[in-house]
Amino acid sequence: MGWIEWQVGSGLNIASILLVVIVVAAMLIWVERRLLGFWQDRLGPNRVGPFGLLQVVADMIKIFTKEDWVPPFADRFSFVLAPTIIMIVILLSFSVVPFAPGVGVVDSNVGVLFVLAMASLGAYSVMLGGLSSDNKYALLGSLRAAAQMVSYEVFMGISLLGVVALAGTFNLREIVEVQENGWFVVPQFVGFLIFLIAGVAESHRLPFDIPEAEQEICAGYHTEYSGMKFGMFFVGEYLGLVLISSLITVLFFGGWHGPFGIGLLPPLVWFALKASAFIAFFILLRAAIPRPRYDQLMSYGWLFLLPLSLINLLVTGVVILAAN
Amino acid sequence: MAKITVDGLSYEVNPDNNLLQECLSQGLDLPYFCWHPCMGSVGACRQCAVKTYRDAEDKNGTLVMACMTPASDGAIVSIEDEQASAFRAGVIESLMTSHPHDCPVCEEGGECHLQDMTQMSGHNYRRYDKLKVTHRNQDLGPFLNHEMNRCITCYRCVRFYDDYAGGTDLAAQASHHHTYFGRFEDGTLESEFSGNLAEVCPTGVFTDKPFSEHYTRKWDLQVAPSVCTGCAVGCNTTPGERYGSLRRVVNRYNSEINGYFLCDRGRFGAHYVNTDNRLRSAKDAAGMTLSTEEAEEKLAAVCAQGAIGIGSPRASVEANFALRCLVGEDNYYSGESAQNHEALQWLLSCLEDEAFSCPTIKEMEGADAVLVLGEDVTNTAPRVALALRQSVRSEATRLAAKARIPSWQDAAVRELAQEAQSPLALFSTGATRLDDVASTTLNADPASLLAAAKAVDVRLAGGSPDYDALIPEASSGASKGETMQAVESVCAALIAAQEPLIVCGSHAGVELMRVAASIARTLSALKSAPCALALLPAEDNSVGHAMLVRPQNTLAAALTKLSDGAASAVIIIENDLTRRAPSAAVTAALQAAEQVVVVDHLNTATTRAATLALPSTSFNEYESSRVNYEGRAQLSFQVSQYPSGTKPVEHWLGVDGALHSASLIARCSAEAAGFASLPKILPDALTRVAGLKVPRQSHRYSGRTAMNANVAVNEGKQAVDENSVMAFSMEGALLQQDASVLASPWAPRWSSNQSITKFQAEVGGELKQEQKGVHLLTRSVQSAVVEPDSHVVSGATDPATKGELGVHFVQQIFGSDELSAHSPAIRERLCDAYVALSPPQAASLGATTGDRLVISGTTTELSLVVRTQTPDTVAMIYPGTSAAGESINALDLPHRITLTRAPDQEAGAASLGLAALIVGDAVFSHARAAEE
Amino acid sequence: MSTARKNSALTTLAVLVRDTLTSQVVTLWKVFRHLWVPTDTVQYPEQQPAMASRWRGRIVLTRDPDGEERCVACNLCAVACPVDCIALQKTEDESGRWKPEFFRINFSRCIMCGFCEEACPTNAIQLTPDFEMAEYKRQDMVWEKEDLLISGTGKYHDTNFYRVAGKAVAGKDKGEARNEAQPVDVRSLLP
């Protein structure tokens, strides 16, 4: 690889990943708006720069220069802390994601658990943001967010266990390597579906953006946020989107492996392609599916997804035992 | 109580009334035009058709006019019957065939009874394809617009103007569908109640002209209940404000005082508040404008120095009381002229006397024998004159009752009564506007009037008056025989009457008021019941002011104190002293005083003499209370906000509690004798409407976000009224059934002023939760009996030298009131100062109407008006008004004067305001008619 | 388990699948296909939109066919306005024609609902297809009569209020309006 030493955990690696992830998340603002535009027979932002690409830059300039206001009635410490938590935990989650051979931050034996742990910590951001705002809509939003995130974490974790059982490891890089000859989406299709749904719920993207349902509760937990603190929640949401897409790629779609062992493209490109497809899919979900009611979301999770994921795990276990 | 069934529901009604009135009283919607609660039914318009049924079996029923049908017990009525509805729709369609399709440019639009009734009857498309009848309009003077095309021939105008108000110059002309309501030729409507035509007319034939000049739809006016400041009657009014200026004043129904009608002084006189003559900023001695802070500092310095205060009968109770608090009761002086002050002391004692009752206007209408002593009520308290005009119909009502004709059958009652009238006796110096309905008139000089009045008293008491002793040699006007005849007929009438009424007033002089009281006392002894005695003070708050002043604290005493140097500073509120005292005394006092603080809303001679002039608020700019001739205190709400720089008197004076009217009123009731019940005038609407304020703006108020956008596009917060139960916005609870704070009546389907029926407990009667004000004085004492003979007749009894004339001052409805004379419309009806002489006197001077006469010994020149009914020894002088034209200070003149013809007559002197006089002074019209 | 109950359980499952899966997937697919549907966006300002003549845009005051102001200051537009953004004052010229002394619309409040146009009895106030009304200063959105009054008749060419209404004005005396007879002579008793 010439003078560039691609090695997991190298400083360059870390810096590049951080940069790429954040830039991608920021660009997603533009991507999402354009895609939504097309799906709604519009153009989306196309005025700033070629194809409106500099819209992100304009948005960034705007959001950085906007008045950054903390309400006098808010609890200032936790109000400032909340948006930073979401940024930090999601960026930390990326540290265990194996993007390609040699590209990654750490190779952790407990990668899957680490991701789940970080996702759980993310709930604090939303809760603190809503509670510290001292605003009834924010409080309602944070209560919804807490319930939703805690609930869907359960199915998310259980749906992953099938994959873990098949791969026999919690190490994400090893999980990818195991899939060289066959993606887990085939044996674990139900698990994939559950993880997909739970992932959307975890990142409270539409249609599961119940904590910030603007028609009901203004903007939910970030009602009182403005300026870059709002920007951090905003970018955090897109980071979450990238993370979930990456995880789906890693866990169910063979990571950097091409389909059916096709190695036509560099591994990193395969990874990016697959992740992008899922990102686009998530945006399509937003364009197409209306938001369910809060109680529907909860009963759907506990009464349908939980049994389904348990059955999936049971069946996987039985199959594995039978195969052995 | 009778029980009737209307459309299947049964109602308890009053069988003395007609069906229409009772249906309306029950809150039912039944269209009508020609009927009016004050004028009865004539069945002219055919709009109130309903079906009546013989009994429950009767399915066909009979179409009848509800206004012509008694609400008899057991009647079965249907308003909604198909045939009745169709009939009403047909009638309105016929009425509308010539209606000119000009609602957008009609001042009545939006508060038009015709619009309401057309909608209610369901007519909306003109099927009639023939031509519309059109009419030429007339110029009816400065008060009313005329647009005859809109007429639907309901005859309400002439029934009010001629039959009710006694006008002679408006009539129905031509025939069939050419019927025309107007004057015989263009010209100002002479009646002083002409303005009511704008409210009586169900459509826009007669509309308020000054209002039209800055026209605003009813829904856009900011309104509040108010009280007229034109005279001592205290009629209830609704002033309307838009874009910061007063737009109009309309009648506000009060069952005891003004009822449905106002006089033209009240209706058109309030526009003085918009004129340039307002004092709008604080000024120092040099006339330099001061900021509010500077002015307050200066005022504080004056107060610290110790000042005396001079109150005013045209300032509110609160303002007068605040001044009294500031300077102390000892230093608070009357702002009334000497004659009025004395008269008011007598008036107050009579108001507390058990022997009398003070009649409301409504009660005056019911009097069956009236004696008016010396007071020209048409010109001093016009609403009283209108009531007295109705009182002569008491005889007709009595006859109708005897013949079992309901009193609302107007045409029948008039037909029955023919010329029969209850007695109305007028003892006056000159002719008055009530002469045409008077049974007895006595025109004589004041001394002779006094003598005749004494004779009445003696005669009533059973004695036989010594006419030779009573009637002085110098008497003029009526002969001794006429006087005796008048006295005899008055006595006979008063003795025969059930409800006699004696009317007198401060313009007639305190001597005559004492005799009036004496007559009333004799009558009450005769009838063993309190006799109605109406003593009319001069101004809107004369009584309230007099109640606050110690009797010995006269204006003369204050002026003397100032000119003697016993006091160095004076605070004068809302008072032009040159109207109250001789010019010399005023000038001497104001020049001697180091500090003269004048708080007023108008520029007057007194504000110009002030070392510190402070702008106060006019009646519509701050909540205030006034006490009328009955001792009834009434609250007048703030209509519009006052501009910065201006402040109410009590705010300027800044005594404890002054900033909030309720607290000042509470303090007044606690500290001032006689005001204990004053807080009862404050409405308790706050508790009734769940703490919501009553909006001053209608729910249709428009232009909120644009009216001030030319100044600043950002809308400020709505002004908050901390002071009152009303809000300066549309917000709050609009009282729909409750008239406790009712400024402008409106009800669904009833946009016009006729919607008042929805707020009346019984149509034509009391309002629901009516705020009638509070009678402050209770009758508990027997005031000192003053023997008529012990009266000192001042001045006039001095033996006259040859050629000397006794001075009698003439009051004029347009001009004698200080404030209304500044109103632009009223100014067009003003005339210059003049002196009226009898034809022989004028001939002896070799002068005719329009010539200039000089008062000997002075340089004062006046125009001459020859009037036939003037006594020979009297010079009737109208002093004019400083608001416009030539004027003199009446109090500068001696009691007796000699007149000479001015040496060089200016060419065209006759035109100086006399043209206005001819149309303005109805007294003169009478005199002129008699001459011709 | 009875057949009926089994059937109902199966039906429930079928409904569940249809609602949660089929329907959502079909929706996703239908929305996805819009990638190939041409967009409706008009690239304003390079591309000017075609405005319907009944478009409710900038408000104007028009003149009647004789060139006189149509507005008679009747205040009906102001009272119809739901945001109260019209304020005016009536005045009258020598001939008795009512006119607005001032007529002010605060366009920063206007919601272009067109109620004023509907309320107008003289077709004076009209909404036009001009929507380019942005200003840098809000104060500039307050338009006075001089700004609003145009020289033409706008959308309605023939309306002439005073030719119909019975009030006499300059150039139209009593009896000259539509369907009007000559003024009556009140001194005459002839029918």
Side-chain angles (χ1 to χ4, degrees):
Chain A
M1 289 250 184
W3 57 276
I4 302 171
E5 190 66 35
W6 284 110
Q7 194 184 335
V8 171
S10 70
L12 183 72
N13 223 335
I14 294 171
S16 316
I17 289 170
L18 193 64
L19 186 73
V20 167
V21 162
I22 289 180
V23 167
V24 164
M27 287 307 293
L28 274 183
I29 299 171
W30 172 80
V31 170
E32 174 160 41
R33 288 175 64 186
R34 292 282 332 222
L35 276 179
L36 283 177
F38 288 130
W39 279 318
Q40 294 167 358
D41 296 349
R42 307 182 278 112
L43 287 174
N46 66 343
R47 291 274 150 181
V48 193
F51 306 107
L53 268 170
L54 295 181
Q55 184 68 41
V56 178
V57 179
D59 282 352
M60 280 296 160
I61 292 171
K62 183 193 76 170
I63 213 160
F64 272 111
T65 52
K66 252 184 154 174
E67 183 186 5
D68 192 4
W69 186 72
V70 179
F73 46 80
D75 181 48
R76 199 182 168 86
F77 175 72
S78 38
F79 189 83
V80 176
L81 186 67
T84 50
I85 293 178
I86 191 116
M87 283 289 281
I88 289 167
V89 296
I90 293 183
L91 285 175
L92 278 178
S93 301
F94 275 107
S95 64
V96 293
V97 174
F99 293 95
V103 183
V105 181
V106 283
D107 260 347
S108 171
N109 283 334
V110 289
V112 174
L113 296 179
F114 182 76
V115 168
L116 290 176
M118 286 299 121
S120 309
L121 279 179
Y124 283 101
S125 162
V126 180
M127 274 176 68
L128 281 180
L131 283 171
S132 65
S133 294
D134 197 10
N135 168 315
K136 54 179 173 269
Y137 295 121
L139 179 66
L140 282 172
S142 66
L143 288 176
R144 288 178 177 198
Q148 178 178 329
M149 292 178 82
V150 169
S151 303
Y152 276 74
E153 236 165 58
V154 176
F155 331 127
M156 200 181 187
I158 297 173
S159 66
L160 287 185
L161 286 185
V163 172
V164 173
L166 284 178
T169 174
F170 280 113
N171 187 321
L172 287 168
R173 192 169 288 277
E174 285 171 17
I175 289 177
V176 175
E177 279 157 4
V178 171
Q179 294 181 74
E180 187 164 8
N181 298 318
W183 297 353
F184 281 151
V185 67
V186 180
Q188 281 299 315
F189 188 72
V190 177
F192 158 67
L193 283 182
I194 297 169
F195 185 80
L196 186 76
I197 294 168
V200 177
E202 270 302 281
S203 58
H204 35 85
R205 287 270 313 167
L206 277 104
F208 295 151
D209 65 336
I210 289 165
E212 50 199 277
E214 49 276 275
Q215 290 85 347
E216 304 158 31
I217 49 171
C218 289
Y221 61 88
H222 60 62
T223 302
E224 296 289 354
Y225 280 87
S226 59
M228 199 48 217
K229 284 202 273 298
F230 167 74
M232 275 150 88
F233 273 126
F234 201 64
V235 172
E237 188 183 312
Y238 285 104
L239 282 174
L241 186 63
V242 177
L243 178 66
I244 293 294
S245 304
S246 308
L247 285 176
I248 292 176
T249 310
V250 167
L251 293 167
F252 296 100
F253 286 85
W256 60 79
H257 297 299
F260 314 112
I262 301 168
L264 206 61
L265 297 168
L268 200 57
V269 175
W270 275 123
F271 184 91
L273 273 178
K274 290 183 208 170
S276 303
F278 283 106
I279 290 171
F281 178 74
F282 281 124
I283 294 171
L284 178 63
L285 274 182
R286 174 177 180 174
I289 314 263
R291 182 190 306 133
R293 273 201 326 264
Y294 176 64
D295 63 311
Q296 288 170 331
L297 180 82
M298 294 313 276
S299 56
Y300 179 67
W302 289 105
L303 299 182
F304 181 70
L305 289 184
L306 179 66
L308 194 66
S309 56
L310 286 174
I311 292 167
N312 177 49
L313 182 60
L314 191 69
V315 171
T316 310
V318 168
V319 169
I320 291 173
L321 281 178
N324 286 349
Chain B
M1 275 292 149
K3 228 180 186 158
I4 63 166
T5 311
V6 184
D7 290 320
L9 296 172
S10 74
Y11 300 92
E12 291 270 323
V13 300
N14 181 354
D16 296 337
N17 292 334
N18 59 60
L19 259 181
L20 171 61
Q21 184 168 2
E22 285 312 306
C23 287
L24 295 173
S25 292
Q26 299 301 332
L28 301 169
D29 289 344
L30 178 56
Y32 65 91
F33 288 111
C34 67
W35 173 82
H36 189 286
C38 280
M39 296 184 270
S41 312
V42 287
C45 70
R46 318 310 283 170
Q47 189 59 56
C48 62
V50 294
K51 267 276 184 73
T52 53
Y53 300 88
R54 231 178 9 257
D55 47 43
E57 265 68 64
D58 184 2
K59 295 292 174 228
N60 295 325
T62 318
L63 265 184
V64 297
M65 297 306 128
C67 72
M68 300 301 282
T69 312
S72 48
D73 195 21
I76 305 172
V77 186
S78 173
I79 295 175
E80 285 165 14
D81 177 79
E82 215 170 284
Q83 246 184 322
S85 305
F87 183 88
R88 294 195 299 263
V91 168
I92 193 88
E93 186 169 3
S94 316
L95 289 176
M96 294 291 284
T97 49
S98 287
H99 201 69
H101 195 97
D102 64 351
C103 297
V105 293
C106 175
E107 291 88 344
E108 196 82 356
E111 53 177 326
C112 177
H113 189 54
L114 180 59
Q115 281 179 342
D116 291 349
M117 296 302 104
T118 309
Q119 290 217 318
M120 203 178 281
S121 308
H123 170 63
N124 52 25
Y125 185 76
R126 185 179 186 262
R127 288 185 296 171
Y128 180 71
D129 60 356
K130 304 296 181 296
L131 297 181
K132 293 179 180 178
V133 177
T134 62
H135 296 277
R136 296 253 170 236
N137 302 330
Q138 288 180 329
D139 178 3
L140 298 178
F143 292 161
L144 289 176
N145 279 327
H146 193 219
E147 185 60 54
M148 233 340 263
N149 279 0
R150 296 171 186 149
C151 183
I152 55 160
T153 1
C154 72
Y155 280 73
R156 263 188 174 195
C157 52
V158 290
R159 289 177 63 219
F160 169 75
Y161 194 89
D162 297 353
D163 299 351
Y164 193 89
T168 52
D169 59 334
L170 181 84
Q173 297 159 49
S175 61
H176 51 91
H177 65 304
H178 288 175
T179 313
Y180 187 89
F181 297 91
R183 283 170 53 86
F184 307 114
E185 56 187 17
D186 279 22
T188 304
L189 282 170
E190 282 170 14
S191 171
E192 55 284 342
F193 302 99
S194 62
N196 292 307
L197 289 176
E199 287 191 53
V200 166
C201 178
T203 176
V205 178
F206 300 98
T207 48
D208 186 329
K209 196 182 234 176
F211 179 42
S212 179
E213 278 158 18
H214 48 193
Y215 182 68
T216 301
R217 297 268 174 219
K218 178 187 180 185
W219 58 70
D220 280 342
L221 290 169
Q222 179 168 293
V223 292
S226 189
V227 175
C228 182
T229 57
C231 73
V233 174
C235 295
N236 289 194
T237 59
T238 298
E241 178 263 4
R242 177 80 172 169
Y243 303 134
S245 71
L246 182 78
R247 294 305 165 103
R248 70 163 176 188
V249 170
V250 290
N251 181 66
R252 178 164 65 91
Y253 183 83
N254 181 310
S255 62
E256 293 186 350
I257 307 178
N258 45 311
Y260 291 90
F261 307 115
L262 285 183
C263 70
D264 288 354
R265 183 198 274 180
R267 185 180 302 272
F268 302 108
H271 293 272
Y272 74 86
V273 302
N274 297 337
T275 59
D276 296 339
N277 200 37
R278 288 293 298 275
L279 183 63
R280 280 303 190 194
S281 55
K283 298 229 162 67
D284 65 8
M288 299 298 288
T289 302
L290 301 173
S291 73
T292 306
E293 291 71 29
E294 290 167 339
E296 278 167 347
E297 263 172 45
K298 284 195 160 214
L299 179 64
V302 174
C303 295
Q305 187 183 339
I308 64 166
I310 297 178
S312 170
R314 70 166 161 91
S316 65
V317 169
E318 291 89 338
N320 277 305
F321 177 71
L323 178 63
R324 197 179 94 163
C325 291
L326 185 72
V327 297
E329 201 176 343
D330 292 338
N331 292 324
Y332 173 68
Y333 288 87
S334 167
E336 287 272 17
S337 67
Q339 178 188 346
N340 281 353
H341 183 70
E342 202 184 350
L344 280 163
Q345 298 306 318
W346 178 248
L347 190 151
L348 285 178
S349 68
C350 288
L351 280 177
E352 290 179 328
D353 195 322
E354 290 172 319
F356 315 122
S357 67
C358 189
T360 62
I361 297 290
K362 183 94 180 163
E363 284 162 359
M364 288 187 195
E365 288 173 357
D368 55 359
V370 183
L371 171 61
V372 184
L373 289 173
E375 186 85 357
D376 179 6
V377 285
T378 308
N379 286 309
T380 60
R383 189 64 185 79
V384 173
L386 189 61
L388 296 184
R389 189 173 283 282
Q390 307 319 306
S391 78
V392 303
R393 294 205 66 218
S394 300
E395 178 66 9
T397 317
R398 194 185 64 80
L399 288 173
K402 226 167 92 183
R404 313 184 97 195
I405 297 174
S407 58
W408 45 263
Q409 280 281 15
D410 193 56
V413 173
R414 283 178 196 277
E415 194 64 24
L416 176 75
Q418 297 291 333
E419 300 295 305
Q421 289 188 332
S422 315
L424 167 63
L426 302 172
F427 285 12
S428 64
T429 304
T432 74
R433 285 281 277 162
L434 285 172
D435 287 358
D436 57 331
V437 288
S439 54
T440 308
T441 51
L442 182 66
N443 295 130
D445 62 296
S448 305
L449 289 182
L450 185 61
K454 282 181 195 169
V456 170
D457 192 21
V458 174
R459 189 75 188 76
L460 282 175
S464 75
D466 179 358
Y467 289 108
D468 293 329
L470 275 170
I471 298 171
E473 287 301 311
S475 80
S476 63
S479 70
K480 191 171 290 180
E482 283 168 344
T483 311
M484 285 169 67
Q485 210 183 335
V487 169
E488 291 301 323
S489 70
V490 166
C491 290
L494 289 176
I495 288 168
Q498 306 283 315
E499 309 276 347
L501 165 64
I502 312 297
V503 179
C504 192
S506 56
H507 296 104
V510 71
E511 293 91 352
L512 211 45
M513 284 170 74
R514 290 209 172 99
V515 181
S518 182
I519 293 172
R521 194 185 305 282
T522 314
L523 275 173
S524 64
L526 267 179
K527 301 190 186 294
S528 340
C531 176
L533 171 69
L535 298 178
L536 301 168
E539 284 170 69
D540 56 326
N541 195 28
S542 289
V543 176
H545 172 48
M547 286 170 69
L548 287 166
V549 180
R550 287 188 180 162
Q552 67 272 24
N553 281 6
T554 61
L555 179 57
L559 295 179
T560 314
K561 214 171 171 185
L562 287 171
S563 38
D564 289 356
S568 60
V570 61
I571 301 173
I572 302 165
I573 58 163
E574 298 186 352
N575 206 341
D576 180 8
L577 297 185
T578 58
R579 291 176 64 91
R580 317 281 182 188
S583 310
V586 173
T587 314
L590 295 187
Q591 280 178 352
E594 285 170 31
Q595 295 290 339
V596 179
V597 181
V598 181
V599 196
D600 205 340
H601 46 79
L602 278 182
N603 279 310
T604 66
T606 310
T607 57
R608 284 188 285 274
T611 57
L612 178 62
L614 304 172
S616 72
T617 50
S618 54
F619 78 99
N620 58 325
E621 290 172 340
Y622 196 64
E623 192 165 310
S624 56
S625 53
R626 291 173 165 75
V627 187
N628 81 346
Y629 73 100
E630 307 165 78
R632 184 201 298 261
Q634 295 189 98
L635 189 67
S636 175
F637 285 87
Q638 185 174 356
V639 178
S640 50
Q641 288 158 276
Y642 46 84
S644 63
T646 307
K647 282 202 283 187
V649 173
E650 47 267 48
H651 288 200
W652 278 117
L653 302 182
V655 295
D656 283 348
L659 293 179
H660 195 264
S661 359
S663 55
L664 192 60
I665 284 176
R667 198 176 156 195
C668 183
S669 82
E671 293 177 22
F675 286 92
S677 48
L678 188 63
K680 287 188 197 151
I681 62 173
L682 293 168
D684 57 351
L686 276 188
T687 54
R688 193 170 318 117
V689 293
L692 289 173
K693 293 211 168 202
V694 181
R696 286 183 172 87
Q697 298 170 357
S698 79
H699 58 304
R700 287 271 183 265
Y701 195 82
S702 78
R704 183 178 55 83
T705 64
M707 53 204 300
N708 297 318
N710 57 330
V711 182
V713 72
N714 310 74
E715 291 126 32
K717 189 186 168 197
Q718 293 278 12
V720 177
D721 190 350
E722 302 280 359
N723 208 31
S724 139
V725 298
M726 302 195 83
F728 286 115
S729 67
M730 302 179 237
E731 292 153 7
L734 188 70
L735 304 180
Q736 293 248 339
Q737 293 292 319
D738 165 353
S740 54
V741 192
L742 177 70
S744 189
W746 177 91
R749 306 176 85 191
W750 297 79
S751 319
S752 75
N753 55 9
Q754 311 282 322
S755 56
I756 192 71
T757 57
K758 299 284 179 193
F759 297 88
Q760 287 166 329
E762 182 182 53
V763 172
E766 280 191 24
L767 296 170
K768 295 165 185 164
Q769 276 102 35
E770 184 164 2
Q771 288 280 320
K772 294 178 180 171
V774 167
H775 285 280
L776 293 178
L777 299 169
T778 47
R779 293 181 185 275
S780 54
V781 294
Q782 188 80 29
S783 61
V785 179
V786 183
E787 287 301 322
D789 290 335
S790 69
H791 298 153
V792 181
V793 182
S794 62
T797 52
D798 301 341
T801 55
K802 178 93 177 105
E804 272 200 330
L805 298 168
V807 173
H808 175 73
F809 292 110
V810 175
Q811 298 293 319
Q812 295 222 139
I813 176 169
F814 307 124
S816 291
D817 176 52
E818 181 183 358
L819 302 179
S820 64
H822 290 277
S823 168
I826 300 275
R827 281 171 77 132
E828 291 185 42
R829 302 282 300 265
L830 295 181
C831 61
D832 290 348
Y834 68 83
V835 55
L837 294 178
S838 64
Q841 272 297 339
S844 72
L845 290 172
T848 57
T849 294
D851 284 352
R852 303 286 286 174
L853 300 181
V854 182
I855 299 172
S856 305
T858 69
T859 52
T860 311
E861 266 192 31
L862 291 168
S863 295
L864 171 68
V865 175
V866 181
R867 285 166 62 166
T868 49
Q869 275 165 278
T870 311
D872 287 341
T873 55
V874 175
M876 300 218 297
I877 292 178
Y878 168 63
T881 166
S882 56
E886 193 180 34
S887 70
I888 58 171
N889 184 346
L891 296 159
D892 289 346
L893 296 180
H895 291 299
R896 298 194 155 272
I897 55 168
T898 313
L899 290 164
T900 50
R901 196 161 179 274
D904 43 311
Q905 293 288 334
E906 286 170 46
S911 67
L912 284 175
L914 287 180
L917 170 67
I918 289 164
V919 290
D921 180 17
V923 184
F924 179 70
S925 310
H926 275 251
R928 198 170 58 130
E931 263 177 273
E932 289 161 0
Chain C
M1 195 188 280
S2 73
T3 331
R5 285 189 63 186
K6 205 158 56 186
N7 280 348
S8 88
L10 278 174
T11 316
T12 315
L13 192 67
V15 167
L16 193 74
V17 168
R18 191 188 71 206
D19 284 0
T20 56
L21 215 65
T22 324
S23 137
Q24 310 289 349
V25 170
V26 168
T27 308
L28 284 172
W29 172 240
K30 283 187 173 171
V31 172
F32 184 71
R33 276 195 319 188
H34 274 261
L35 267 184
W36 293 278
V37 173
T39 56
D40 294 333
T41 309
V42 177
Q43 291 278 44
Y44 177 85
E46 296 86 11
Q47 191 187 349
Q48 286 292 332
M51 306 302 292
S53 60
R54 289 191 304 177
W55 173 268
R56 299 195 307 264
R58 185 168 61 84
I59 299 173
V60 295
L61 287 176
T62 59
R63 291 176 185 275
D64 65 23
D66 299 340
E68 295 281 351
E69 280 173 46
R70 265 185 183 145
C71 177
V72 297
C74 71
N75 278 285
L76 290 183
C77 51
V79 74
C81 180
V83 290
D84 287 346
C85 75
I86 304 178
L88 67 153
Q89 172 59 52
K90 173 252 174 186
T91 188
E92 209 170 309
D93 69 10
E94 318 77 55
S95 70
R97 189 183 269 269
W98 281 30
K99 283 179 175 174
E101 184 182 346
F102 68 83
F103 194 107
R104 186 180 306 130
I105 299 182
N106 180 355
F107 278 116
S108 74
R109 281 286 189 184
C110 180
I111 55 169
M112 306 293 166
C113 66
F115 282 13
C116 50
E117 183 174 2
E118 261 184 70
C120 185
T122 67
N123 280 339
I125 194 165
Q126 296 179 16
L127 277 76
T128 65
D130 180 4
F131 61 90
E132 294 173 311
M133 300 182 64
E135 297 284 350
Y136 283 100
K137 275 186 289 182
R138 197 177 155 202
Q139 189 65 50
D140 294 341
M141 304 200 63
V142 178
W143 288 39
E144 298 288 343
K145 178 173 148 185
E146 302 77 61
D147 313 317
L148 297 165
L149 190 63
I150 63 167
S151 52
T153 57
K155 288 180 275 187
Y156 313 106
H157 303 300
D158 304 325
T159 318
N160 194 336
F161 175 74
Y162 283 108
R163 295 281 159 205
V164 179
K167 199 173 163 71
V169 293
K172 194 222 69 176
D173 199 4
K174 280 285 171 73
E176 292 176 2
R178 190 197 295 166
N179 273 338
E180 277 192 350
Q182 280 305 302
V184 299
D185 175 9
V186 292
R187 309 279 188 245
S188 163
L189 286 176
L190 295 174

